[in-house]
Amino acid sequence: GAVVSQHPSWVICKSGTSVKIECRSLDFQATTMFWYRQFPKQSLMLMATSNEGSKATYEQGVEKDKFLINHASLTLSTLTVTSAHPEDSSFYICSARRNNEQFFGPGTRLTVL
Amino acid sequence: GQNIDQPTEMTATEGAIVQINCTYQTSGFNGLFWYQQHAGEAPTFLSYNVLDGLEEKGRFSSFLSRSKGYSYLLLKELQMKDSASYLCAVRDNTGAGSYQLTFGKGTKLSVIP
């Protein structure tokens, strides 16, 4: 089956610092990856669509300068939360598209102090 | 855009059957997915419907009526481990061969002895 990994699985950082989260498709190539955010007791909210070799497409209300997405290869997309604040604390989940399916990574729990 | 509606919470007894409904409004419909999500974990794929009718997979079945914008997930022979959130997600064509998945808020199912 298709496997998607995320690293790190959890991270705690100080307010004002930047955090990078990696999303890898381990056994398939993904031209499209998606980044979601999930606050406690809420559903997944799509943040952006990451396309290999081109700029990411951000959803309305998501600051592209704060959430930097790079999809430099067919197996790796990164999300960098710049100048993180406590309100950015959330569960970040990536998914990779293969054919007509999306496969989810295990998620990254970000806590900003 | 999408408007996906599903009940917030449900409770059912071990061994019983439970039906979780989902209604949606969307343009460019390209399939409906059901995911299971345990607390603190990423969603796992349960089922996919793109044509009207019932898809059965073991203890889980999913039904779709495109004309009514309606789907349900049926869980049979409930087990305690089925206690989780169940997310209804609709895939939309966004043009140029691309699509995106939008999630409902999820239904938290509690299975009791």
Side-chain angles (χ1 to χ4, degrees):
Chain A
V3 179
V4 177
S5 71
Q6 268 183 254
H7 178 80
S9 55
W10 60 270
V11 57
I12 301 173
C13 69
K14 292 182 179 180
S15 185
T17 59
S18 294
V19 174
K20 180 187 283 188
I21 303 170
E22 294 185 349
C23 177
R24 293 181 185 272
S25 55
L26 298 184
D27 52 358
F28 67 102
Q29 293 182 329
T31 55
T32 304
M33 292 185 174
F34 303 89
W35 286 97
Y36 293 85
R37 180 168 52 181
Q38 186 177 34
F39 293 106
K41 299 185 179 181
Q42 301 286 321
S43 190
L44 281 76
M45 296 299 295
L46 180 65
M47 298 176 66
T49 301
S50 172
N51 301 298
E52 188 268 337
S54 64
K55 291 183 179 180
T57 304
Y58 290 81
E59 295 302 299
Q60 193 172 9
V62 178
E63 300 174 57
K64 62 179 181 180
D65 294 329
K66 180 172 179 63
F67 299 98
L68 302 178
I69 291 173
N70 184 286
H71 194 157
S73 78
L74 288 171
T75 59
L76 173 65
S77 175
T78 61
L79 168 68
T80 301
V81 183
T82 62
S83 186
H85 290 112
E87 57 263 33
D88 297 325
S89 298
S90 188
F91 192 46
Y92 291 85
I93 305 172
C94 74
S95 70
R97 171 184 168 183
R98 187 182 75 173
N99 298 325
N100 285 324
E101 292 188 63
Q102 274 185 235
F103 298 90
F104 286 86
T108 297
R109 175 77 58 191
L110 170 63
T111 302
V112 184
L113 302 177
Chain B
Q2 299 85 18
N3 185 11
I4 303 171
D5 195 32
Q6 53 183 128
T8 305
E9 295 183 68
M10 297 183 72
T11 301
T13 306
E14 190 176 14
I17 300 172
V18 70
Q19 177 174 313
I20 303 174
N21 296 323
C22 171
T23 58
Y24 64 90
Q25 294 175 315
T26 186
S27 57
F29 177 82
N30 194 279
L32 187 142
F33 295 77
W34 283 95
Y35 287 86
Q36 181 191 62
Q37 187 179 27
H38 285 100
E41 299 180 11
T44 54
F45 170 79
L46 289 179
S47 69
Y48 166 64
N49 295 70
V50 67
L51 300 176
D52 291 351
L54 188 69
E55 293 283 340
E56 297 187 76
K57 188 183 292 186
R59 295 190 298 117
F60 296 80
S61 302
S62 58
F63 172 82
L64 174 68
S65 169
R66 289 171 296 171
S67 62
K68 296 181 179 178
Y70 167 69
S71 173
Y72 67 72
L73 178 69
L74 194 70
L75 292 80
K76 304 175 186 175
E77 301 170 17
L78 280 173
Q79 302 175 8
M80 298 300 290
K81 67 178 183 179
D82 296 329
S83 293
S85 285
Y86 290 85
L87 308 176
C88 172
V90 174
R91 185 168 68 191
D92 272 300
N93 284 321
T94 55
S98 297
Y99 60 82
Q100 70 179 41
L101 204 60
T102 302
F103 285 83
K105 288 184 165 57
T107 298
K108 184 178 179 182
L109 174 66
S110 298
V111 180
I112 58 176

